[in-house]
Amino acid sequence: MHTSWLTAQSYGQLSNQVQGAFIAPLPAFEVIRISGADNRKYMQSQTTCDVDQLNADSFLRGAHCDAKGKTWSVFHLLEHSDDLLVVAFRDELNASLAQWRKFAVFSKASFEPCQDTFAVLGIAGEGAEQLIRQLGFTPPAGKGGLSRHNQSALLQLADQHYMLLMPKPDAITLLDSTLPLAAPTLWLKQHILHGLCYLEQPLIGEFVPQMLNLQAVDAISFSKGCYLGQETVARMKYLGRNKRAAWILQAETDEAPAAGCDIEQQFNDNWRRVGQVINAVNINNQLWLIAVLPNDITPADSLRLKSDSAPALQLLPLPYHLS
């Protein structure tokens, strides 16, 4: 994992054993700033979310698709004065940035990477609201809510699960405090258990947004105007064309599969490839992952990771309803 704003000493002190609420640096997540008179209009034409609904006290989760409706990135979008900030995992953010710049040549919109300006951290765990108050924030009103303090912004992604954008010097200072700090993997475990995901390089451009359950986490507007890939996204909803979804799975194993690794299902005496790992994390030989599988999969189906040890995978319930 890239650790550009973390010292080796700071990173080495982070643990997965923290109990209760914690703060975790997320150095693999980055930010870009979108400036210019057309920034909102341009992003409205490029993304699944309704940018017209964005305000100072909220953020939007959305996706950027290609013309065929395949997802380049899953991101979070918020206001920053007259500008917009986009937060996403580095691989997908770089993929979308290249496309946005290419098609923005006739728009008054400019794109600036902010890896030297902002740092991204995660906050999660029981009692997270108290920790948030210690940082000087008023807890957001609920999922999709945003609170600001000084030059920082706090996004509530789910219950007791947050993303924090801070000026880089403030984040570095925070890591030297006595607040409970944890490794990024502990936050990622919570991210997976909330049914949320991001795209790493092997899976960029592979899935339509509904295969990542983005319709279930308010990341797709079906009432906004046209945007890139809209025809495919709408067809999946109104014609029932989507046959796949993202599912949460767990296993007892020391393996930590990479994005794109295969998952197999047993049919009589044979095993057949039925899906792919999106994100995975292993803590103390407990594997949690989110994967794209058939949308009619059930806990009764026998699933395993395709690997040398082929550990059995247990299907866990999603924290939201699919539609």
Side-chain angles (χ1 to χ4, degrees), residues 23-321:
I23 303 172
L26 304 177
F29 285 79
E30 293 183 351
V31 182
I32 61 170
R33 185 198 313 267
I34 308 174
S35 306
D38 292 341
N39 58 356
R40 285 175 175 260
K41 179 181 178 182
Y42 180 72
M43 292 303 288
Q44 182 78 324
S45 71
Q46 291 287 309
T47 63
T48 61
C49 55
D50 187 354
V51 180
D52 289 343
Q53 300 302 311
L54 189 64
N55 60 58
D57 298 320
S58 68
F59 70 92
L60 296 176
R61 182 181 287 119
H64 172 219
C65 303
D66 63 17
K68 296 180 179 180
K70 297 298 183 67
T71 309
W72 287 91
S73 64
V74 180
F75 60 80
H76 301 90
L77 181 72
L78 63 147
E79 291 183 346
H80 184 70
S81 297
D82 292 332
D83 300 331
L84 299 174
L85 298 181
V86 182
V87 191
F89 187 74
R90 181 185 302 110
D91 293 355
E92 56 186 346
L93 190 64
N94 288 339
S96 283
L97 178 59
Q99 297 300 311
W100 287 335
R101 280 177 166 167
K102 180 192 303 183
F103 293 106
V105 291
F106 300 111
S107 297
K108 295 177 181 177
S110 61
F111 301 83
E112 175 193 359
C114 295
Q115 64 265 34
D116 294 326
T117 306
F118 288 104
V120 183
L121 304 97
I123 300 177
E126 190 73 30
E129 289 77 11
Q130 182 178 352
L131 183 54
I132 285 166
R133 290 188 174 93
Q134 285 183 260
L135 293 171
F137 289 92
T138 299
K143 288 183 284 186
L146 181 149
S147 294
R148 302 178 191 270
H149 177 63
N150 295 332
Q151 298 299 310
S152 300
L154 181 72
L155 290 62
Q156 184 169 351
L157 308 186
D159 293 337
Q160 300 190 73
H161 188 63
Y162 302 84
M163 184 174 279
L164 174 62
L165 275 65
M166 298 189 82
K168 191 173 173 181
D170 295 347
I172 293 172
T173 299
L174 179 63
L175 293 185
D176 289 329
S177 72
T178 58
L179 294 170
L181 302 175
T185 44
L186 198 58
W187 184 88
L188 176 55
K189 172 190 169 184
Q190 296 299 322
H191 205 59
I192 289 171
L193 290 174
H194 283 295
L196 303 173
C197 64
Y198 56 83
L199 295 180
E200 300 179 53
Q201 188 62 51
L203 299 180
I204 291 172
E206 292 295 317
F207 306 116
V208 297
Q210 286 97 325
M211 294 179 184
L212 305 173
N213 302 354
L214 296 187
Q215 79 285 0
V217 294
D218 300 321
I220 305 174
S221 170
F222 293 101
S223 59
K224 63 175 283 187
C226 295
Y227 60 87
L228 197 64
Q230 182 189 32
E231 183 178 348
T232 298
V233 176
R235 188 183 304 122
M236 291 290 175
K237 175 178 174 63
Y238 296 112
L239 299 182
R241 297 287 180 84
N242 182 43
K243 303 301 181 185
R244 305 184 73 75
W247 296 96
I248 305 167
L249 302 124
Q250 187 268 338
E252 294 185 10
T253 176
D254 60 357
E255 296 200 35
C261 286
D262 290 341
I263 291 174
E264 298 179 321
Q265 181 179 352
Q266 188 173 20
F267 295 92
N268 297 320
D269 294 330
N270 300 312
W271 290 86
R272 184 186 308 163
R273 177 183 180 275
V274 292
Q276 291 176 284
V277 174
I278 309 171
N279 306 128
V281 61
N282 194 311
I283 300 175
N284 298 329
N285 293 329
Q286 292 291 315
L287 172 66
W288 288 270
L289 61 85
I290 188 165
V292 171
L293 298 167
N295 58 11
D296 60 354
I297 207 80
T298 73
D301 295 315
S302 296
L303 300 170
R304 71 180 186 185
L305 188 67
K306 186 178 181 181
S307 66
D308 291 340
S309 62
L313 295 168
Q314 176 188 359
L315 190 70
L316 302 183
L318 290 169
Y320 45 69
H321 296 289

